[in-house]
Amino acid sequence: MDTRQLAAFCTVVERRSFSQAAERLGVTQPAVSLQVRALEKRLGTQLLDRSGRRVEPTEAGWRLYRGAQRMLALEDQLVSDVAASAEGELSGDLVLGASTGPAAIAVPILLCEFQRENPGVRVFLTVSDTHTVVERVAARELELGIVGAARRHRGIRFEPFFSDRVILACPPGHRFAGRTITLDELREESLILMQEGAGVRQIVEDALRRRGVRLRDLDVRLELGLQESVRAAVEAGYGVTFISRTAVESDLDAGTLTEAQVRDLAPTREISLASASGRARSRVAESFVDFARTRLAP
């Protein structure tokens, strides 16, 4: 079976659009349509329902999609195995994304150390919120994603990577500094949040929900897009925020921020590794994951 036809078909299923699939593959829309029609002719059945606003797989289409994912993953692995000997020098591109929290802490140093040990590798890191990173991994625009929350996505497999504690950060001299406070006390304080889609925010929302509290029950005065913006606003005395302790460790040591805890609310953020389901990792990506796990091991 022609794997180019299978790749075109799978991309249409994932994008629900011939035009977007063509853009993703770098070919024309008629070329994608011809590939899919040739596949339907060969199999003697309709694979896609084109009658609605979005293209949807038929029942036969779903069966083919699942099998094609396995076949394409095997092809990727075969090409990778043939292209590079396991004993040869590691070379190639490592294209990955990270959400703003992990991208501000362990990930940059890990990538720098990995690249220094493997000079033949080029590293490309993009930074976005968790939702965007996951979607780009699912679309195979990124080979790996490192995110602060494992959001459910049928096209993604998540693996634990490392853990990080979430704290309540306060400006120096704040009445919460060094204390364990109650939720009632937190309700009386101006709270600064990261934007929706941020992993820390989702984890805090989940932890509050388990206590019967919603974010709108708190005094949220500011929602800022970047972790750095939130940290700067807290340092300037405009409120308090939930944030990764690792991300502000240097600020805590320098005394520009102080730490507090909320009673019975100690969220821990599990940093996850996101990969597209059915996609075999390249030799470079697999080597980076092994390298990172060794460095991050307790």
Side-chain angles (χ1 to χ4, degrees), residues 82-245:
V82 171
S85 166
E87 297 179 357
E89 180 182 348
L90 198 64
S91 63
D93 294 345
L94 176 61
V95 183
L96 71 167
S99 57
T100 52
I105 44 176
V107 173
I109 299 301
L110 283 172
L111 290 172
C112 289
E113 292 177 349
F114 178 72
Q115 200 284 324
R116 184 173 60 187
E117 290 194 9
N118 300 280
V121 173
R122 297 191 306 168
V123 176
F124 300 89
L125 173 68
T126 61
V127 180
S128 307
D129 60 44
T130 296
H131 174 77
T132 301
V133 172
V134 169
E135 289 298 323
R136 292 193 65 193
V137 172
R140 303 192 177 211
E141 296 170 4
L142 302 172
E143 184 168 6
L144 295 173
I146 302 172
V147 295
R151 297 170 176 270
R152 290 183 180 178
H153 194 296
R154 69 181 181 186
I156 293 291
R157 70 176 186 271
F158 291 98
E159 306 166 49
F161 204 38
F162 64 94
S163 297
D164 186 29
R165 190 158 59 91
V166 177
I167 64 168
L168 187 68
C170 318
H174 193 276
R175 61 192 178 95
F176 290 172
R179 293 180 51 215
T180 298
I181 65 167
T182 66
L183 276 172
D184 287 337
E185 287 179 286
L186 182 62
R187 285 188 176 95
E188 297 171 359
E189 183 62 37
S190 298
L191 184 63
I192 304 171
L193 293 178
M194 281 176 268
Q195 66 186 2
E196 286 192 34
V200 166
R201 175 169 173 155
Q202 179 185 331
I203 289 162
V204 171
E205 282 188 90
D206 292 343
L208 288 169
R209 193 178 298 113
R210 288 192 290 270
R211 295 287 312 280
V213 178
R214 294 166 297 184
L215 279 179
R216 65 170 175 262
D217 298 329
L218 305 178
D219 186 13
V220 179
R221 298 293 182 90
L222 293 166
E223 293 191 24
L224 304 177
L226 296 175
Q227 182 172 259
E228 290 75 13
S229 304
V230 171
R231 185 171 56 187
V234 173
E235 287 179 354
Y238 289 101
V240 300
T241 192
F242 288 101
I243 198 166
S244 155
R245 193 187 193 286

Side-chain angles (χ1 to χ4, degrees), residues 7-69:
F9 169 73
C10 287
T11 307
V12 173
V13 171
E14 290 160 2
R15 294 305 179 94
R16 298 294 196 275
S17 164
F18 280 87
S19 59
Q20 290 185 27
E23 183 178 350
R24 173 71 183 90
L25 294 169
V27 298
T28 64
Q29 182 174 334
V32 174
S33 298
L34 283 172
Q35 297 274 33
V36 174
R37 286 198 187 97
L39 199 54
E40 289 179 325
K41 183 177 180 181
R42 166 141 191 213
L43 295 173
T45 187
Q46 183 178 346
L47 299 173
L48 297 172
D49 181 359
R50 304 163 174 81
S51 60
R53 292 181 61 185
R54 297 199 319 167
V55 177
E56 294 288 346
T58 62
E59 184 178 348
W62 275 123
R63 286 199 300 272
L64 177 64
Y65 176 77
R66 289 189 289 268
Q69 288 287 87

